[in-house]
């Protein structure tokens, strides 16, 4: 690659992009002008509103047969005005009243006889004036309660300590800077990730789909430059613009909060001033962490944008991606989530949690190094994917038409397999159908709900979609015969895959144990295995049906569509496996199901037939059912020591044997594939 050519493209793209008012607005206008203006204005408006709220009197009504004792109590309370209304409930709803007190029965007699009276404060939790009135009334009644108690103690000649055996005092030991850091640690990461993504959004769209729409991509490709030089120049443009946006936002937010905290310090006692000191020492680490994060987001943005054929289509692609990037960013504002060793390797969430940990002084150099390293590795993978996409002319110059808008079957062009876009749309439709319909059906009757899900929401839509789009069923579903050696390889692999998947599931359950609701649902399902007829029905519903229906969707329609993109085999296999794991709508089962999905996909890819993966899928689910229902042969139960395995995992001997058998099975299947060729 000629770096001078890449630099020339970078300089040209930067000049063109910086002439765009939208880019300048997102890069400069938002952080330098909008943040300080909105933050200071919002802060001052909130202060004015709070001051006005504290200055206003609370309007209170009393509903009681004998209101005199309550009126006497409230007469000495500042900023509480007792008013008469005919219907206090209506007055409260119409904001003519802030709260009202309800007391039933005689009040004088209980007070004179040292008895208890019941008071109700009724308020509106959605109105700040009503909440302020509640606070004032609670303080007033607390003081009245203590005065009555002192009077009664004095009457019987008892000290006040008689009713206060414990004096409890709560002392906040958090350092003042940690209080500020905790607040900023929840706010800054989310804002920074949002602004970095926004900074990459428009340049990524304009430099890819925008060029396609303007017809200048073909001109650029016709010049004597390599695609690697083009992608390098364009990617560096998006990266630099996004990084500048992130840095400007970080600086602007730091300066803005400095001004706000300085204003707060002037109104607080001297001992409280340290609470509003910015933790400036962590900002260099934040800047260092922004670089790999920006690399990752920029690479993902440009990879998705290049798939679009127009500016509008790219916006449609990147908007859900933008929202998807925000999900792990919300980890910073989630209470109780900390930067654990596992989360240090979780993309985007690791950076958000590192920001939060740095702000409160809970991150060490090792955590910073691991997060930067893992994020850099993800960024390299994303950049590799973007580079691969840019080198595919069928993607850069794609003019493939989508689904005909008439939705008439004869308008579809017959094709061998679904397009990746159509297959993804099918996957999304089935997933949504299961989420909205399948889960409800399973909650009402788990067994019938599973039957409906597998055959009505997975098999039927998949088969109908291929028929309606005039796609060849046999090629799409990989309905080809496997060789005897390939069958033998899969049969050899099966016990090893089942045992290793079981071990992954046991590890996963240690980190993410199943909630009680899941265990109860599984218990109801596996209760069918108490009888022979119930066990046969259970095997049909949970083992055979998914082996047919789910395999046709994943190892059939999805896998065959990804093959036509000429994606590397590894990428396609991992992608289908991940989608298979996500399909089960449970984070508690994501890892083992994704691992099984990867293995099933690899088998179909290697054999060219869906039938071996159906067999392994059925055997795996059958083994899970037999183990859960305690229907394994007695000899197998003793050999595996199932009770011990559930607590401690597979014994090292069994685990080593399973790994050895798996290696042999994979090697044999690889040999069978070469022999077929």
């Amino acid at each position: 690659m000629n770096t001078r050519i890449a630099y020339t493209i970078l300089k040209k793209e930067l000049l063109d992009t910086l002439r765009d008012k939208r880019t300048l607005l997102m890069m400069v206008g938002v952080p330098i002008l909008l943040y300080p203006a909105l933050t200071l204005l919002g802060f001052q408006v909130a202060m004015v509103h709070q001051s006005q709220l504290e200055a206003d009197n609370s309007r209170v009504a009393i509903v009681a047969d004998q209101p005199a004792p309550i009126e006497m109590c409230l007469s000495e309370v500042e900023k509480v005005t007792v008013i008469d209304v005919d219907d206090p409930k209506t007055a409260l709803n119409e904001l003519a009243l802030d709260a009202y007190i309800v007391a039933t029965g005689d009040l004088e007699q209980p007070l004179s006889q040292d008895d208890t009276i019941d008071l109700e404060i009724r308020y509106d939790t959605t109105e700040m004036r009503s909440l302020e009135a509640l606070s004032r009334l609670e303080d007033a009644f607390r003081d009245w309660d203590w005065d009555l108690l002192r009077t009664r103690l004095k009457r019987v000649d008892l000290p006040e300590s008689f009713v206060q055996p414990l004096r409890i005092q709560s002392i906040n030991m958090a350092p003042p800077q940690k209080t500020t850091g905790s607040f900023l640690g929840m706010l800054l990461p989310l804002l920074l990730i949002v602004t970095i993504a926004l900074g990459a959004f428009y340049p990524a769209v304009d430099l890819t789909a925008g060029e396609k729409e303007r017809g200048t991509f073909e001109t650029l490709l016709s010049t004597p430059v390599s695609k690697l030089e083009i992608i390098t120049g364009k990617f560096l443009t998006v990266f630099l613009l996004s990084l500048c946006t992130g840095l400007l936002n970080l600086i602007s937010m730091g300066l803005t909060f400095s001004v706000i905290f300085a204003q707060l310090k002037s109104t607080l006692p001297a001992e409280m001033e340290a609470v509003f000191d910015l933790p400036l020492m962590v900002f260099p680490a934040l800047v260092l962490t922004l670089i790999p994060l920006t690399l990752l987001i920029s690479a993902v943005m440009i990879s998705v944008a290049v798939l679009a054929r127009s500016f509008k289509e790219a916006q449609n692609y990147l908007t859900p991606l933008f929202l998807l990037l925000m999900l792990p960013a919300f980890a910073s504002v989630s209470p109780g989530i900390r930067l654990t060793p596992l989360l240090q390797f979780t993309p985007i969430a690791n950076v958000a949690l590192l920001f939060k940990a740095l702000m409160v002084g809970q991150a060490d150099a090792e955590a910073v190094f691991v997060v930067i390293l893992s994020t850099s590795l993800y960024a390299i993978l994303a950049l590799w994917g973007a580079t691969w996409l840019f080198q595919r002319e069928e993607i850069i110059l794609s003019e493939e038409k989508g689904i005909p808008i008439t939705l008439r079957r004869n308008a579809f062009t017959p094709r061998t397999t679904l397009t990746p876009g159509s297959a993804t749309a099918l996957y999304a439709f089935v997933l949504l159908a299961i989420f909205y319909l399948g889960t409800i059906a399973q909650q009402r009757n788990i067994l019938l709900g599973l039957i409906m899900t597998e055959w009505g929401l997975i098999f039927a839509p998949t088969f109908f979609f291929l028929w309606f789009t005039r796609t060849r069923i046999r090629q799409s579903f990989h309905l080809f015969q496997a060789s005897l050696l390939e069958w033998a390889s899969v049969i050899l692999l099966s016990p090893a895959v089942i045992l290793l998947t079981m071990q992954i599931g046991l590890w996963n359950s240690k980190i993410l144990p199943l909630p009680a609701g899941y265990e109860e649902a599984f218990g109801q399902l596996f209760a069918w295995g108490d009888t022979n007829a119930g066990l046969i029905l259970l095997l049909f519903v949970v083992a055979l049906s998914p082996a047919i229906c789910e395999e046709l969707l994943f190892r059939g329609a999805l896998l065959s569509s990804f093959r036509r993109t000429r994606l590397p085999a590894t990428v396609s296999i991992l992608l289908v496996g991940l989608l298979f794991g996500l399909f089960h709508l449970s984070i508690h089962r994501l890892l083992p199901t994704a691992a099984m999905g990867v293995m099933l996909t690899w088998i179909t890819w290697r054999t060219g037939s869906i039938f071996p993966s159906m067999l392994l899928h059925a055997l795996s689910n059958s083994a899970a059912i037999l183990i859960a229902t305690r229907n394994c042969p007695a000899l197998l139960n003793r050999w595996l020591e199932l009770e011990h395995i559930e607590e401690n995992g597979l014994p090292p001997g069994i685990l080593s044997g399973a790994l050895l058998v798996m290696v042999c099975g994979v090697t044999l299947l690889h040999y069978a594939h070469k022999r077929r060729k």
Side-chain angles (χ1 to χ4, degrees):
M1 183 184 72
N2 191 326
T3 56
R4 292 182 59 186
I5 294 177
Y7 173 73
T8 302
I9 295 174
L10 168 64
K11 186 167 64 173
K12 175 256 183 190
E13 299 293 3
L14 280 176
L15 290 174
D16 289 344
T17 305
L18 291 176
R19 293 191 187 104
D20 187 1
K21 295 180 180 178
R22 290 172 301 187
T23 303
L24 290 177
L25 177 64
M26 293 306 303
M27 277 188 59
V28 182
V30 171
I32 294 181
L33 300 175
L34 198 58
Y35 274 136
L38 290 179
T39 307
L40 289 174
L41 179 62
F43 171 73
Q44 293 172 4
V45 168
M47 292 293 290
V48 169
H49 179 69
Q50 183 63 29
S51 300
Q52 183 179 0
L53 191 65
E54 293 176 355
D56 290 345
N57 283 0
S58 296
R59 300 159 299 172
V60 175
I62 302 174
V63 180
D65 297 333
Q66 295 176 340
I70 302 175
E71 290 176 347
M72 185 179 299
C73 169
L74 298 181
S75 63
E76 301 177 1
V77 181
E78 295 182 355
K79 298 178 182 177
V80 173
T81 303
V82 179
I83 62 175
D84 293 327
V85 293
D86 296 330
D87 185 356
K89 182 177 180 181
T90 303
L92 182 65
N93 291 334
E94 294 177 352
L95 306 182
L97 192 68
D98 298 320
Y100 64 96
I101 303 157
V102 177
T104 58
D106 187 4
L107 300 184
E108 296 288 354
Q109 184 178 356
L111 291 176
S112 62
Q113 296 179 356
D114 295 343
D115 205 347
T116 302
I117 62 174
D118 294 322
L119 300 178
E120 293 181 359
I121 305 174
R122 300 184 181 181
Y123 67 102
D124 186 348
T125 189
T126 63
E127 295 292 335
M128 291 302 299
R129 287 182 59 92
S130 187
L131 292 173
E132 182 68 22
L134 172 67
S135 177
R136 291 171 179 174
L137 290 174
E138 285 180 335
D139 290 341
F141 289 144
R142 192 178 298 112
D143 293 339
W144 186 25
D145 179 64
W146 187 242
D147 290 339
L148 290 171
L149 182 60
R150 275 198 297 261
T151 302
R152 294 178 181 182
L153 290 172
K154 188 176 181 181
R155 189 182 303 140
V156 295
D157 196 22
L158 287 174
E160 294 180 9
S161 59
F162 181 78
V163 295
Q164 191 180 17
L166 298 177
R167 182 178 288 111
I168 300 171
Q169 187 177 7
S170 300
I171 301 175
N172 180 17
M173 298 301 294
Q177 294 82 0
K178 189 175 180 180
T179 304
T180 303
S182 178
F183 166 72
L184 294 178
M186 290 190 296
L187 184 64
L188 275 180
L190 185 60
L191 289 177
L192 282 175
I193 292 171
V194 169
T195 52
I196 288 173
L198 285 174
F201 189 99
Y202 284 108
V205 172
D206 187 61
L207 298 185
T208 54
E211 287 224 38
K212 287 184 182 182
E213 193 170 29
R214 293 189 296 269
T216 56
F217 225 136
E218 292 85 347
T219 305
L220 186 61
L221 291 174
S222 64
T223 58
V225 297
S226 68
K227 296 185 180 68
L228 182 59
E229 292 161 350
I230 294 174
I231 177 58
T232 302
K234 288 182 177 292
F235 170 75
L236 288 177
T237 303
V238 176
F239 166 70
L240 290 176
L241 292 173
S242 181
L243 182 62
C244 288
T245 304
L247 291 175
L248 285 173
N249 276 276
L250 182 62
I251 295 170
S252 178
M253 284 187 282
L255 294 175
T256 300
F257 283 114
S258 298
V259 173
I260 292 176
F261 290 166
Q263 293 180 1
L264 287 173
K265 285 182 180 181
S266 63
T267 63
L268 294 172
E271 61 270 14
M272 291 292 294
E273 290 184 2
V275 174
F276 294 98
D277 286 337
L278 279 174
L280 297 177
M281 298 301 295
V282 305
F283 274 76
L286 297 182
V287 173
L288 188 63
T289 312
L290 279 181
I291 296 175
L293 176 65
T294 308
L295 283 169
L296 173 60
I297 293 177
S298 301
V300 172
M301 286 281 185
I302 202 169
S303 298
V304 175
V306 76
L307 299 174
R309 297 182 295 272
S310 65
F311 198 96
K312 183 178 180 180
E313 185 179 349
Q315 287 181 311
N316 293 335
Y317 287 172
L318 289 181
T319 299
L321 174 65
F322 180 83
L323 297 176
L324 188 62
L325 291 174
M326 294 305 102
L327 288 178
F330 279 107
S332 63
V333 299
S334 301
I337 298 183
R338 295 187 177 184
L339 187 63
T340 61
L342 178 63
L343 289 175
Q344 288 177 0
F345 294 91
T346 305
I348 300 180
N350 56 359
V351 176
L353 291 172
L354 178 63
F355 278 26
K356 185 177 179 180
L358 286 170
M359 283 294 179
V360 297
Q362 293 178 344
D364 53 17
E366 181 182 353
V368 175
F369 174 76
V370 171
V371 170
I372 291 177
L373 178 63
S374 61
T375 306
S376 300
L377 291 175
Y378 292 133
I380 291 172
L381 289 174
L383 184 57
W384 172 81
T387 304
W388 183 87
L389 288 171
F390 264 83
Q391 292 177 343
R392 315 301 302 183
E393 290 191 7
E394 65 269 21
I395 293 176
I396 295 180
L397 305 178
S398 174
E399 296 182 358
E400 187 177 70
K401 296 181 180 180
I403 297 176
I405 196 169
T406 58
L407 291 181
R408 295 169 57 185
R409 187 170 184 265
N410 57 10
F412 286 87
T413 303
R415 61 179 73 244
T416 305
T417 62
L418 292 173
T419 63
S422 299
T424 305
L426 172 62
Y427 172 82
F429 172 80
V430 173
L431 189 63
L432 290 174
I434 292 174
F435 179 77
Y436 287 110
L437 301 176
T439 52
I440 296 175
Q442 292 172 31
Q443 287 172 358
R444 294 184 176 180
N445 187 309
I446 189 167
L447 205 64
L448 293 178
L450 286 172
I451 294 175
M452 171 190 157
T453 299
E454 294 295 338
W455 295 97
L457 301 180
I458 299 177
F459 176 81
T462 302
F463 191 86
F464 175 80
F465 191 81
L466 264 66
W467 170 83
F468 190 79
T469 56
R470 303 175 72 183
T471 306
R472 293 184 181 177
I473 300 295
R474 189 181 184 195
Q475 283 79 3
S476 294
F477 284 156
H478 293 112
L479 300 178
F480 302 104
Q481 187 57 258
S483 67
L484 289 176
L485 190 56
E486 288 170 337
W487 278 109
S489 304
V490 173
I491 293 172
L492 176 64
L493 272 172
S494 297
V497 172
I498 292 170
L499 289 173
L500 293 176
T501 305
M502 180 193 302
Q503 181 61 59
I504 294 173
L506 293 171
W507 285 332
N508 188 78
S509 64
K510 298 294 184 183
I511 302 172
L512 295 170
L514 280 176
Y518 276 82
E519 292 183 353
E520 183 180 351
F522 282 126
Q524 293 176 359
L525 178 64
F526 294 138
W528 285 83
D530 294 341
T531 63
N532 291 335
L535 180 61
I536 293 172
L537 179 61
L538 195 60
L539 289 171
F540 170 76
V541 174
V542 182
L544 183 60
S545 295
I548 297 173
C549 303
E550 294 176 11
E551 289 304 302
L552 290 177
L553 173 61
F554 288 94
R555 263 58 66 179
L558 274 173
L559 181 59
S560 61
S561 70
F562 290 154
R563 273 187 161 178
R564 63 174 292 166
T565 63
R566 300 180 185 177
L567 282 170
T570 304
V571 175
S572 297
I573 292 168
L574 291 176
L575 184 57
V576 174
L578 177 60
L579 291 175
F580 183 70
L582 294 172
F583 186 76
H584 290 78
L585 300 175
S586 173
I587 191 174
H588 306 280
R589 301 167 57 200
L590 176 60
L591 188 59
T593 51
M596 175 59 75
V598 168
M599 193 65 203
L600 293 171
T601 308
W602 178 78
I603 288 174
T604 302
W605 186 285
R606 181 60 68 189
T607 63
S609 171
I610 199 172
F611 298 116
S613 66
M614 285 183 174
L615 173 65
L616 178 55
H617 196 157
L619 290 175
S620 175
N621 287 9
S622 298
I625 294 169
L626 294 175
I627 292 172
T629 58
R630 300 295 188 265
N631 280 298
C632 289
L635 179 62
L636 187 60
N637 277 331
R638 289 196 300 271
W639 181 62
L640 286 176
E641 298 179 358
L642 297 176
E643 298 291 344
H644 178 76
I645 288 175
E646 290 179 356
E647 292 293 329
N648 305 297
L650 287 169
I654 294 179
L655 188 60
S656 302
L659 286 171
L660 180 61
V661 171
M662 185 171 179
V663 170
C664 294
V666 168
T667 304
L668 184 61
L669 188 56
H670 183 70
Y671 170 75
H673 174 70
K674 283 189 173 182
R675 185 176 178 183
R676 175 192 284 264
K677 283 187 173 182

